[in-house]
C-alpha cells in the first residue's frame, strides 16, 4: 500500500539521499530497514532481524551487536507530517529530543511525548531493551480510510508532508549518529515476546 507503508519506505530512502546529497559524514553507521511481515504475529520481519542481530526477548538473551545500536526510528503511520516523537517511556531521551527537535518548531515538529505508540516494528527493538522511537505524525485519513483498505493508493500520499518528514528525520538521524554518547537506554524488559497492544 502507498500509505502502509510506501510512505515510510520512501521517507527512509529519502533520508539517505539527503545525507548523501549534503555530504554528511555520520560518525556511526546509518542503516535503513524495510520490513516485511509486520502484520503477522510478532512482527515477522523486524523480530527476525532483532533475534538474529540483537537478542531474543523470550529468554532475554542478548547478542554482542546489542551494545552497538544507538537508536531505531520508525515512521509507519501513513503520509502525515512529523509532529514530534513518541519516547516510549524513555525519560532520559526527553531532553535530547527536545534539543534536536527545537529547530523544527516552525514546521510543527517539536512535540516530545513520553507516551508509547504500538502496533508497529519499533516494538521488536523495545522488546530487547533497545532505544526505539516512533514518530508522532498527523493522522490524516490513515486509520479512517486507507489503512488496510483498497483505497491505500498513491493518491492519498501528500508530497509536501513526506518532504517535511524526510527532512526532520534526516536531521534526527544525523544528530543521533554524531552524538558523543549513544542514546540512553531503559532497563531491560522482563522476559517475554512482543504482543500487539
Amino acid at each position: 500500500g502507498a500509505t502502509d507503508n510506501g510512505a515510510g519506505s520512501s521517507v527512509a530512502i529519502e533520508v539517505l539521499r539527503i545525507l548523501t546529497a549534503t555530504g554528511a559524514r555520520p560518525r556511526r553507521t546509518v542503516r535503513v530497514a524495510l520490513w516485511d511481515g509486520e502484520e503477522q504475529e510478532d512482527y515477522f520481519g523486524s523480530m527476525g532481524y532483532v533475534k538474529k542481530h540483537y537478542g531474543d526477548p523470550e529468554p532475554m538473551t542478548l547478542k554482542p551487536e546489542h551494545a552497538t545500536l544507538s537508536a531505531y526510528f520508525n515512521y509507519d503511520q501513513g503520509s502525515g507530517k512529523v509532529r514530534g516523537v513518541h519516547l516510549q517511556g524513555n525519560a532520559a531521551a526527553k531532553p535530547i529530543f527536545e534539543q534536536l527537535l527545537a529547530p523544527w518548531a516552525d514546521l510543527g515538529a517539536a512535540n516530545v511525548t513520553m507516551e508509547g505508540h504500538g502496533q508497529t516494528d519499533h516494538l521488536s527493538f523495545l522488546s530487547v531493551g533497545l532505544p526505539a522511537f516512533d514518530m508522532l505524525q498527523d493522522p490524516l485519513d490513515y486509520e479512517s480510510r486507507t489503512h488496510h483498505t483498497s483505497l491505500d493508493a498513491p493518491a492519498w500520499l501528500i508530497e509536501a508532508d513526506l518532504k517535511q518528514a524526510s527532512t526532520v528525520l534526516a536531521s534526527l538521524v544525523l544528530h543521533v549518529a554524531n552524538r558523543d554518547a549513544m542514546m540512553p537506554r531503559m532497563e531491560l524488559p522482563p522476559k517475554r515476546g512482543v504482543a500487539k497492544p
Side-chain angles (χ1 to χ4, degrees):
T3 65
D4 184 26
N5 189 18
S9 299
S10 65
V11 165
I13 292 167
E14 181 65 6
V15 165
L16 291 183
R17 191 202 65 78
I18 290 169
L19 295 178
T20 301
T22 59
R25 296 209 173 265
R27 290 168 55 189
R28 292 186 181 86
T29 299
V30 174
R31 183 174 294 155
V32 167
L34 307 176
W35 305 119
D36 191 12
E38 184 245 60
E39 309 299 344
Q40 283 71 40
E41 186 177 337
D42 284 345
Y43 307 93
F44 187 76
S46 60
M47 182 52 75
Y49 186 85
V50 166
K51 285 180 177 180
K52 181 177 180 181
H53 294 276
Y54 303 117
D56 189 334
E58 291 290 338
M60 198 49 74
T61 55
L62 305 179
K63 297 191 172 197
E65 283 183 76
H66 187 276
T68 68
L69 183 80
S70 184
Y72 172 85
F73 292 97
N74 203 69
Y75 180 93
D76 184 24
Q77 303 300 311
S79 185
K81 285 182 181 179
V82 168
R83 293 302 183 181
V85 64
H86 291 278
L87 295 181
Q88 307 297 137
N90 189 336
K94 188 172 192 238
I96 296 166
F97 277 108
E98 286 174 341
Q99 180 182 14
L100 294 180
L101 288 171
W104 303 106
D106 62 330
L107 295 182
N111 297 297
V112 178
T113 176
M114 288 294 296
E115 292 177 3
H117 187 261
Q119 298 184 325
T120 188
D121 289 294
H122 67 294
L123 296 180
S124 297
F125 292 81
L126 288 170
S127 75
V128 292
L130 291 168
F133 308 100
D134 193 44
M135 303 318 296
L136 176 61
Q137 294 176 242
D138 280 343
L140 304 176
D141 296 306
Y142 183 67
E143 290 290 343
S144 62
R145 293 195 178 179
T146 64
H147 188 234
H148 295 183
T149 73
S150 60
L151 292 176
D152 195 359
W156 292 93
L157 296 175
I158 300 173
E159 185 178 349
D161 288 4
L162 294 172
K163 287 179 177 179
Q164 181 263 15
S166 300
T167 303
V168 173
L169 270 165
S171 174
L172 288 177
V173 165
L174 181 60
H175 283 92
V176 167
N178 283 338
R179 292 185 79 241
D180 289 334
M182 304 245 299
M183 290 297 284
R185 297 180 177 203
M186 299 187 292
E187 288 185 31
L188 282 176
K191 298 174 186 179
R192 61 176 169 76
V194 177
K196 291 192 178 192

